[in-house]
């Protein structure tokens, strides 16, 4: 990429002496479908060790290899807890209804990190994620559950069960969000996140204090590596604000491929896979409900019978009930360990598309700044050329005036119409040309209100044309040079931002790919384990029912077993022939 070779990558995933060589990176390294590359030890900024007590999902991932804890500089107690070498699991242990500082009740989620608890409502989780995305525009910030209309839990007592289910689901997904942030090698070191986990800190205070209070309104006009930098160059204000749909002259094929696959991945996960998963879960739920009804009917039927038959019917009903219970548990496992993570990865796809759009806009910024700089340089060249021509003409006129004064008796100085010799002092070849006074603003202000529209427009155009062209040209040259200097600084900053964004986004996509592979593996194993447990529980229940059924005595009208002759048991054909004989045929 022209103009970018001189800039060094500032990748936060790397430490000193470890830089990503973007020139040697293949297209597939950025694509999400590429096989995961082995983790680099120096990129493990937040090392952890495996914890056997943590839930299977979200998976710690292959990028979370255990290693020696090198971090010794902790910003706060929460930072020390998160990075003490243990795999700390952040838990949401409760959801409480409260109306503190509000006219209407709302739900707060109790977060436990180590021995500390903090309470936050959903809107504060949403605010945390939004601000992390603005603080780190080149990183994949995990999603939070979609907002739903569950703000009126307390007033809808009739739907308490449904609300409880929604709250439980939101608790799980918000807990997953916090743990994903805590296991991210960069985001886990952010002090804003640590303060969110601290129960002694007001979130309103965090929002109104640095670094969040220093966030610019437009992150495209701020440094990619630190949007809150108070010492950022003022040249950032000269950068354009392009649209995400603006085309590129020289697009990077690596990110085009990554964007194409992200769209394909999101459409597939959020389309057919989620649709089929919802249908499967619904059918399992209906299957469980049918067994619940059947079990109740069999248990009632057993009361009308006696002895072994009653016990067998009751045991069968209990086996059906066991099937209902195990199927209900299977449905819960499918929702928690398959459907919810699948929807989360659909959200991840949308987040990555926004991340690639940000990088695209940074690339467009670079090209637009290049174009603006070239246009200003061409404009300066034209103005300087006009200035040289004006000076050459002025020098030629000056030489002519000097020659005219040196030879007063020449025919040129006497004139054709017999002018007086003394008239030379007022000839138009005088060496002094007074500057044009230009438009008079005060006079324009006094006369314009009484004019008609056409007269006012004509007056304004004449005022614009009456400006001294020489002065305007020189002012234009000065201003253009200033613009060029500012655009050169802006181009330098834009090139740095583009290179930083490309390398950092590429590194985080690589980390996300390893995490995705680990999560999908855990999802598939969890699904297989759930079905295995379902089969085991059902097998045990139905084997007990079978043993009880076998205790039922034979019915007195039971057809006797076929007699065995020398040739063996009677064949079906022989039985049919015997029946035919009995019937007189």
């Amino acid at each position: 990429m022209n103009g970018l070779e001189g800039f060094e990558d500032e990748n936060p995933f790397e430490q000193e002496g470890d830089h990503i060589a973007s020139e040697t990176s293949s297209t597939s390294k950025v694509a999400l479908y590429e096989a995961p590359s082995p983790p680099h030890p120096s990129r493990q900024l937040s090392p952890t060790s495996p914890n056997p007590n943590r839930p299977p999902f979200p998976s710690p991932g292959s990028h979370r290899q255990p290693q020696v804890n090198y971090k010794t500089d902790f910003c706060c107690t929460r930072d020390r807890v998160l990075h003490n070498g243990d795999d700390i699991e952040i838990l949401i242990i409760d959801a409480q209804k409260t109306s503190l500082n509000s006219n209407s009740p709302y739900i707060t989620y109790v977060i436990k990190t180590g021995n500390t608890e903090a309470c936050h409502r959903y809107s504060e989780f949403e605010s945390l994620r939004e601000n992390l995305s603005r603080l780190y525009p080149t990183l994949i910030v995990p999603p939070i559950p979609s907002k739903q209309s569950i703000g009126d839990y307390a007033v809808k007592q009739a739907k308490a069960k449904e609300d409880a289910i929604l709250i439980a689901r939101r608790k799980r997904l918000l807990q997953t969000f916090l743990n994903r942030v805590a296991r991210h090698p960069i985001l886990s070191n952010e002090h804003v996140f640590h303060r969110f986990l601290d129960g002694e800190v007001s979130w309103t205070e965090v929002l109104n204090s640095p670094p969040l209070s220093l966030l610019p309104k437009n992150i495209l006009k701020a440094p990619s590596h630190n949007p809150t930098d108070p010492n950022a160059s003022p040249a950032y204000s000269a950068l354009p604000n392009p649209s995400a749909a603006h085309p590129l002259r020289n697009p990077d094929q690596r990110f085009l491929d990554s964007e194409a696959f992200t769209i394909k991945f999101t459409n597939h996960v959020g389309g057919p896979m989620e649709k089929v998963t919802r249908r499967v879960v619904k059918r399992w739920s209906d299957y469980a409900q049918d067994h619940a009804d059947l079990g109740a009917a069999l248990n009632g039927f057993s009361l009308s019978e006696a002895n072994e038959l009653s016990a067998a019917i009751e045991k069968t009903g209990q086996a059906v009930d066991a099937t209902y219970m195990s199927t209900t548990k299977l449905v819960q496992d499918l929702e928690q360990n398959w459907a919810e993570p699948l929807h989360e990865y659909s959200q991840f796809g949308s987040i990555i598309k926004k991340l690639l759009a940000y990088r695209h806009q940074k690339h467009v910024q670079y090209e637009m700044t290049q174009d603006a700089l070239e246009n200003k340089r061409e404009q300066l060249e034209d103005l300087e050329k006009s200035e040289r021509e004006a000076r050459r003409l002025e020098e030629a006129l000056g030489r002519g005036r000097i020659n005219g004064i040196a030879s007063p008796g020449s025919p040129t100085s006497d004139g054709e119409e017999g002018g007086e010799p003394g008239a030379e002092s007022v000839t138009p070849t005088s060496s002094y040309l007074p500057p044009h006074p230009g438009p008079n603003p005060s006079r324009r202000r006094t006369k314009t209100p009484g004019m008609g529209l056409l007269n006012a427009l004509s007056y304004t155009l004449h005022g614009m044309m009456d400006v001294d062209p020489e002065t305007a040209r020189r002012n234009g040259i000065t201003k253009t040079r200033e613009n060029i200097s500012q655009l050169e600084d802006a181009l330098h900053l834009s090139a740095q931002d583009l290179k930083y964004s490309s390398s950092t986004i590429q590194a985080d996509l690589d980390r996300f790919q390893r995490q995705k592979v680990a999560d999908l593996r855990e999802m598939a194993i969890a699904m297989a384990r759930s079905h295995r447990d379902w089969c085991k529980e059902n097998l045990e229940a139905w084997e007990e029912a079978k043993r009880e059924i076998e205790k039922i005595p034979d019915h007195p009208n039971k057809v006797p077993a076929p007699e065995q002759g020398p040739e063996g048991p009677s064949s079906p054909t022989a039985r049919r022939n015997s029946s035919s004989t009995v019937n007189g045929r």
Side-chain angles (χ1 to χ4, degrees):
M1 188 179 297
N2 296 334
L4 297 181
E5 290 77 5
F7 301 104
E8 195 170 300
D9 294 340
E10 298 180 21
N11 191 338
F13 285 83
E14 302 170 330
Q15 293 184 346
E16 186 176 355
D18 179 22
H19 295 285
I20 293 179
S22 58
E23 295 80 10
T24 60
S25 299
S26 63
T27 300
S28 60
K29 186 171 182 180
V30 179
L32 304 181
Y33 50 83
E34 182 66 15
S37 59
H40 197 288
S42 66
R43 295 185 190 174
Q44 314 303 318
L45 301 190
S46 300
T48 60
S49 59
N51 182 2
N53 298 324
R54 66 176 305 277
F57 186 83
S59 168
S62 59
H63 68 292
R64 304 287 298 179
Q65 299 295 329
Q67 64 171 31
V68 179
N69 185 9
Y70 65 86
K71 185 171 182 179
T72 57
D73 186 15
F74 302 103
C75 64
C76 62
T77 306
R78 301 283 74 71
D79 190 19
R80 185 183 299 275
V81 171
L82 292 175
H83 300 125
N84 63 359
D86 297 330
D87 189 10
I88 298 297
E89 183 74 15
I90 301 176
L91 303 174
I92 297 184
I93 58 176
D94 196 8
Q96 302 173 345
K97 183 182 69 174
T98 181
S99 57
L100 183 65
N101 300 326
S102 177
N103 296 327
S104 58
Y106 57 90
I107 298 297
T108 59
Y109 300 91
V110 182
I111 307 167
K112 184 176 182 181
T113 309
N115 297 323
T116 305
E117 292 185 3
C119 295
H120 291 286
R121 58 191 302 179
Y122 175 83
S123 60
E124 293 174 344
F125 281 90
E126 198 173 27
S127 174
L128 170 64
R129 194 203 169 278
E130 179 185 357
N131 283 287
L132 286 178
S133 300
R134 297 181 65 195
L135 284 172
Y136 299 93
T138 60
L139 297 182
I140 303 173
V141 181
I144 62 173
S146 304
K147 191 169 185 178
Q148 301 177 21
S149 57
I150 56 175
D152 50 352
Y153 297 111
V155 298
K156 292 187 178 179
Q157 299 296 333
K159 295 186 177 181
K161 183 178 179 180
E162 296 179 11
D163 291 342
I165 294 174
L166 291 175
I167 292 173
R169 178 179 181 274
R170 181 167 285 183
K171 282 173 56 179
R172 291 191 300 269
L173 294 178
L174 290 177
Q175 178 176 306
T176 299
F177 162 74
L178 293 176
N179 283 287
R180 285 197 185 280
V181 175
R183 294 186 179 98
H184 194 284
I186 306 299
L187 299 177
S188 60
N189 297 284
E190 175 53 51
H191 188 52
V192 172
F193 176 60
H194 303 157
R195 299 180 76 186
F196 185 84
L197 301 177
D198 193 343
E200 302 298 325
V201 179
S202 168
W203 183 242
T204 303
E205 177 186 344
V206 177
L207 293 176
N208 295 322
S209 60
L212 299 186
S213 60
L214 300 177
L215 280 170
K217 294 182 179 180
N218 188 352
I219 59 173
L220 289 175
K221 294 194 174 185
S224 295
H225 64 282
N226 185 11
T228 60
D229 186 4
N231 301 319
S233 172
Y236 274 104
S237 60
L239 291 174
N241 187 23
S243 166
H246 195 287
L248 287 170
R249 285 199 314 272
N250 301 308
D252 192 330
Q253 188 62 39
R254 299 172 301 170
F255 291 98
L256 290 180
D257 292 344
S258 181
E259 182 179 5
F261 177 78
T262 301
I263 294 173
K264 180 181 177 182
F265 172 81
T266 306
N267 292 340
H268 186 72
V269 172
M273 288 189 68
E274 279 200 290
K275 182 179 178 181
V276 172
T277 298
R278 286 194 299 268
R279 189 164 67 239
V280 168
V281 170
K282 183 180 183 303
R283 289 181 177 178
W284 276 113
S285 300
D286 295 341
Y287 179 81
Q289 187 59 46
D290 291 343
H291 277 73
D293 297 339
L294 178 59
L298 288 173
N299 291 328
F301 180 46
S302 66
L303 299 177
S304 62
E305 298 294 335
N307 301 328
E308 292 85 355
L309 180 59
S310 175
I313 296 175
E314 183 180 4
K315 204 66 177 179
T316 303
Q318 292 176 358
V320 173
D321 289 338
T323 302
Y324 158 71
M325 298 297 294
S326 62
T327 305
T328 301
K329 185 177 182 300
L330 175 63
V331 170
Q332 293 175 352
D333 291 344
L334 288 177
E335 288 179 344
Q336 296 179 21
N337 298 327
W338 181 263
E340 290 175 5
L342 202 63
H343 179 68
E344 185 187 20
Y345 269 95
S346 176
Q347 292 178 291
F348 265 120
S350 301
I351 292 170
I352 293 175
K353 285 194 288 187
K354 292 180 180 179
L355 199 69
L356 296 176
Y358 171 82
R359 189 249 165 222
H360 176 88
Q361 288 174 292
K362 278 295 181 181
H363 197 165
V364 173
Q365 258 188 350
Y366 174 74
E367 291 190 348
M368 292 179 69
T369 307
Q370 270 187 328
D371 295 341
L373 182 59
E374 291 176 1
N375 292 336
K376 287 296 181 182
R377 285 172 175 170
E378 292 177 358
Q379 183 180 349
L380 178 62
E381 185 178 352
D382 293 339
L383 290 173
E384 289 178 341
K385 183 178 179 181
S386 300
E387 179 68 13
R388 289 193 298 269
E389 290 293 331
R391 288 181 179 179
R392 186 179 63 81
L393 182 59
E394 184 178 355
E395 290 175 0
L397 291 175
R399 286 194 299 269
R401 286 194 293 270
I402 292 175
N403 292 335
I405 295 173
S407 54
S410 63
T412 305
S413 60
D414 291 339
E416 296 291 335
E417 299 180 358
E420 296 294 330
E424 294 173 355
S425 60
V426 293
T427 57
T429 58
S430 173
S431 60
Y432 174 73
L433 292 175
H436 192 280
N440 190 339
S442 60
R443 183 181 177 188
R444 181 183 305 173
R445 284 195 298 270
T446 57
K447 295 184 67 176
T448 301
M451 294 181 178
L453 176 62
L454 295 179
N455 290 335
L457 181 61
S458 176
Y459 181 83
T460 303
L461 293 175
H462 280 84
M464 294 171 60
M465 292 186 293
D466 287 344
V467 177
D468 183 14
E470 183 178 355
T471 303
R473 184 174 60 250
R474 290 177 180 175
N475 290 339
I477 290 175
T478 303
K479 186 176 181 180
T480 304
R481 285 175 177 170
E482 293 176 355
N483 290 339
I484 288 176
S485 177
Q486 189 179 28
L487 285 172
E488 286 176 344
D489 293 341
L491 183 64
H492 180 84
L493 297 173
S494 178
Q496 283 185 322
D497 279 357
L498 177 57
K499 192 139 191 176
Y500 173 86
S501 300
S502 299
S503 60
T504 309
I505 290 174
Q506 176 177 321
D508 208 23
L509 284 175
D510 189 42
R511 178 203 62 82
F512 172 77
Q513 167 66 11
R514 294 192 296 271
Q515 179 67 66
K516 185 186 72 173
V517 171
D519 282 346
L520 290 175
R521 178 180 180 275
E522 293 297 334
M523 290 163 60
I525 291 176
M527 177 183 283
R529 186 180 293 115
S530 298
H531 281 83
R532 181 199 63 187
D533 295 342
W534 178 81
C535 292
K536 282 184 176 180
E537 293 176 9
N538 290 341
L539 182 62
E540 293 175 1
W542 284 103
E543 283 180 345
E544 291 181 5
K546 179 184 176 182
R547 288 192 293 269
E548 196 67 32
I549 292 171
E550 289 175 347
K551 296 179 182 179
I552 301 175
D554 293 341
H555 195 274
N557 295 334
K558 181 180 179 182
V559 178
E563 297 180 359
Q564 294 187 3
E567 296 84 4
S570 303
S571 62
T573 305
R575 287 198 296 271
R576 284 198 298 271
N577 294 340
S578 175
S579 300
S580 299
T581 306
V582 171
N583 293 333
R585 295 184 180 179

